[in-house]
Amino acid sequence: MRHRRTMVSISIAAIGLWLMLSITATPLTAQEGLRGHGIPICSTHERFHFGQEMFLVCTRDGLFKATSDGWQWLPLPDGFGEIKATADGSIYLYSNSTYQVHRSTDGGITWKLRGAVPLTSTTDPWGHIFPTSVPDMLFLGVEDLPFIPDVRGVYRSTDGGITWTRVLSVGNGNGVAFSPNFVTDGVAFAAFADYRTSLGIYKTTDWGETWFPVNTGLYIGGPIFWGHAWVAVSPEFSQDQTVFTSDGSGFYRTTNGGTAWDKISDTPTSYPLVFSPYYGEDHTLLRAELSLGLWLSQDAGLTWQTLYDDDNGETGYVYVAGMRRPGAFDIPTITPPPPEPTSTTILRTNHALSSISQDDVEFWMVHRTDHFGDAFLYRSQDHGTTWDPIPILPQITVTQQTRPVAAQNGIPLTYTLRVTNTGTVLLHTTITATLPTPLLTGTLLLDSVLLPRRTFTWTPVLTAPYGLWTQTLPLMVAEDYTGPLTTSVHISSLEGAASNNTYKLIVYHPSVYLPLILHP
């Protein structure tokens, strides 16, 4: 569903306390601003994984995974950290506060502590984790100030993060990238920098045992705005031998595996490149450039065009970019309306994307309207012409009803409770319904638990959007009671959605009619 601007109406029936959402959507034109809603998300690319089969997003409320049943909240064993996933579905979490490495092999449901990186420093070193396609082989790039002891460099683990060995100590280890055939060819590249200094790119051909510099054509030295911050290897490396990197002096590419580099642009890029899923055919690259917007190349980085930026003087930031083929899961877009913006952001897009079919690829970005505001996730399925907000929104609605609506004492009735997931997050709920004393319950249901004080609890899982759970209880009002009865329902969920509801029922005595006897 293409969602731009929503209008929500809420109606409450006088009897039965039905709560319903009516949602309509109209397209967001290119002259209207991006307005995010839902849970604000992180704005660092190390906390995302935009893979074809695994799609992970970090928020202030934790880690979420996209599934066909909605966003699924995942527990984090060691707080926020860097998230990386491998082709076999393993997820690694590295904490820069404890230096510990956790791994999940079941999609993030459970985690196991693997070990800790031995980083002893007078400051707080910062690490970037890079799992490989070789089982249990990981690399970690470490940044720090050049104090004693100097812990900067690249570390390697061959046992899934239990033990670590420093294999390079050139300077700040900013990034490690691997050949798509790393299992067989052992080729990887590492980017190094120091404070306002470029230290170059190093290469290994033996799975990280030994490394050598490959810097011909690169700028080495300083002072410079920033050193080599990342390195990216082509998905077609075995055929094209192409690798990319950038520092403050410009944007570089090699087409011979690092033997020599060509400076193909004076404009540097500070964030890693994103490759099209069809890169071997379309040579398409995507990059996020903060206040400069989102940029696209269709000739392997030789030229670039704006895919999205702010065009009216407003400050907007694009922090993370992604490209993937549609499919594998369907991320819902149904949401309540965002607040009205205080200003309008104009979208400037370039439509000359001839080599990509609109049905073959979708673009993603993490955007915030200003440097200190909340960041939200967006998707474009029409080459950046329009953008869908993809909210992570835990939300539920509750309806309660009795039949008959007006109850009589001593007469059977049914109480029906319905809970609907009207958000975009898969919800693991706990539903508690407390009945007033004058209500007598019928047969106890097998899937519920009767607690003291006439309380029922259930723990259903609600898919998104519009996953529905319903429960009907046979009841009877005590014969000696008339007046109001109030039922209370409390709902909580692991994902943060909650609701408290009451339902009032009026009980009356049935009318008594005496026979009329006429006397002559």
Side-chain angles (χ1 to χ4, degrees), residues 215-235:
N215 295 326
T216 301
L218 294 177
Y219 177 86
I220 303 297
I224 198 170
F225 189 62
W226 74 80
H228 294 107
W230 55 267
V231 61
V233 178
S234 164

Side-chain angles (χ1 to χ4, degrees), residues 25-369:
T26 54
L28 176 70
T29 68
Q31 283 73 40
E32 295 179 279
L34 297 182
R35 294 169 296 170
H37 35 288
I39 301 174
I41 63 178
C42 304
S43 57
T44 55
H45 66 87
E46 296 91 352
R47 293 179 177 176
F48 292 82
H49 181 77
F50 286 168
Q52 190 61 39
E53 304 300 330
M54 181 79 72
F55 197 100
L56 303 172
V57 174
C58 172
T59 78
R60 68 183 184 188
D61 290 347
L63 184 66
F64 286 83
K65 179 175 67 175
T67 74
S68 57
D69 293 326
W71 291 103
Q72 180 180 4
W73 176 80
L74 301 177
L76 288 177
D78 197 15
F80 290 113
E82 289 209 4
I83 294 291
K84 293 290 173 59
T86 60
D88 65 1
S90 297
I91 307 173
Y92 286 89
L93 171 69
Y94 173 73
S95 171
N96 274 299
S97 58
T98 64
Y99 314 137
Q100 291 181 337
V101 176
H102 286 79
R103 181 173 69 182
S104 173
T105 57
D106 57 6
I109 304 301
T110 61
W111 298 83
K112 183 177 181 180
L113 174 63
R114 301 297 297 171
V117 186
L119 300 179
T120 302
S121 173
T122 56
T123 60
D124 294 317
W126 195 263
H128 310 282
I129 193 166
F130 303 96
T132 76
S133 53
V134 175
D136 288 334
M137 183 175 289
L138 312 173
F139 289 83
L140 188 80
V142 177
E143 301 178 61
D144 196 9
L145 297 176
F147 292 151
I148 303 295
D150 189 348
V151 299
R152 299 175 301 164
V154 170
Y155 294 72
R156 186 181 69 158
S157 172
T158 58
D159 53 15
I162 298 174
T163 60
W164 294 83
T165 302
R166 183 159 60 168
V167 293
L168 268 175
S169 55
V170 177
N172 286 325
N174 289 332
V176 182
F178 309 99
S179 161
N181 299 319
F182 183 72
V183 171
T184 56
D185 64 22
V187 173
F189 297 84
F192 286 90
D194 209 336
Y195 174 68
R196 300 194 66 182
T197 304
S198 289
L199 300 180
I201 304 298
Y202 282 69
K203 180 179 180 180
T204 179
T205 58
D206 56 9
W207 299 272
E209 288 284 346
T210 60
W211 297 78
F212 53 92
V214 285
N215 295 326
T216 301
L218 294 177
Y219 177 86
I220 303 297
I224 198 170
F225 189 62
W226 74 80
H228 294 107
W230 55 267
V231 61
V233 178
S234 164
E236 304 295 325
F237 180 77
S238 61
Q239 286 78 39
D240 61 24
Q241 293 291 293
T242 298
V243 185
F244 299 89
T245 191
S246 182
D247 65 0
S249 69
F251 182 66
Y252 295 85
R253 182 182 70 178
T254 176
T255 56
N256 50 29
T259 301
W261 297 80
D262 297 313
K263 184 179 181 180
I264 57 178
S265 173
D266 290 326
T267 302
T269 176
S270 55
Y271 281 78
L273 298 179
V274 176
F275 292 90
S276 162
Y278 309 102
Y279 181 78
E281 303 170 11
D282 59 32
H283 301 103
T284 296
L285 300 169
L286 193 66
R287 75 177 200 248
E289 285 296 342
L290 298 181
S291 62
L292 298 179
L294 188 65
W295 289 75
L296 183 87
S297 172
Q298 292 187 273
D299 53 14
L302 292 177
T303 61
W304 294 84
Q305 54 190 316
T306 304
L307 188 65
Y308 164 82
D309 70 356
D310 297 327
D311 194 37
N312 68 337
E314 296 293 327
T315 303
Y317 292 81
V318 178
Y319 286 85
V320 185
M323 270 192 293
R324 65 184 302 275
R325 297 184 300 274
F329 45 80
D330 181 23
I331 299 176
T333 60
I334 299 173
T335 66
E340 289 299 317
T342 57
S343 61
T344 299
T345 300
I346 297 177
L347 310 185
R348 186 176 71 214
T349 60
N350 191 314
H351 305 284
L353 307 180
S354 58
S355 65
I356 307 177
S357 167
Q358 291 193 15
D359 296 331
D360 290 341
V361 68
E362 56 189 26
F363 298 100
W364 292 80
M365 69 173 175
V366 174
H367 175 274
R368 64 178 7 150
T369 55

Side-chain angles (χ1 to χ4, degrees), residues 476-494:
M476 181 180 291
V477 182
E479 292 186 0
D480 59 349
Y481 182 83
T482 59
L485 292 175
T486 301
T487 297
S488 63
V489 176
H490 172 72
I491 304 175
S492 61
S493 67
L494 293 177

Side-chain angles (χ1 to χ4, degrees), residues 447-487:
D447 60 346
S448 64
V449 179
L450 185 60
L451 300 178
R453 301 183 63 182
R454 313 185 64 75
T455 298
F456 291 85
T457 61
W458 302 271
T459 55
V461 177
L462 303 181
T463 60
Y466 299 130
L468 172 65
W469 174 88
T470 183
Q471 189 68 72
T472 298
L473 298 177
L475 305 172
M476 181 180 291
V477 182
E479 292 186 0
D480 59 349
Y481 182 83
T482 59
L485 292 175
T486 301
T487 297

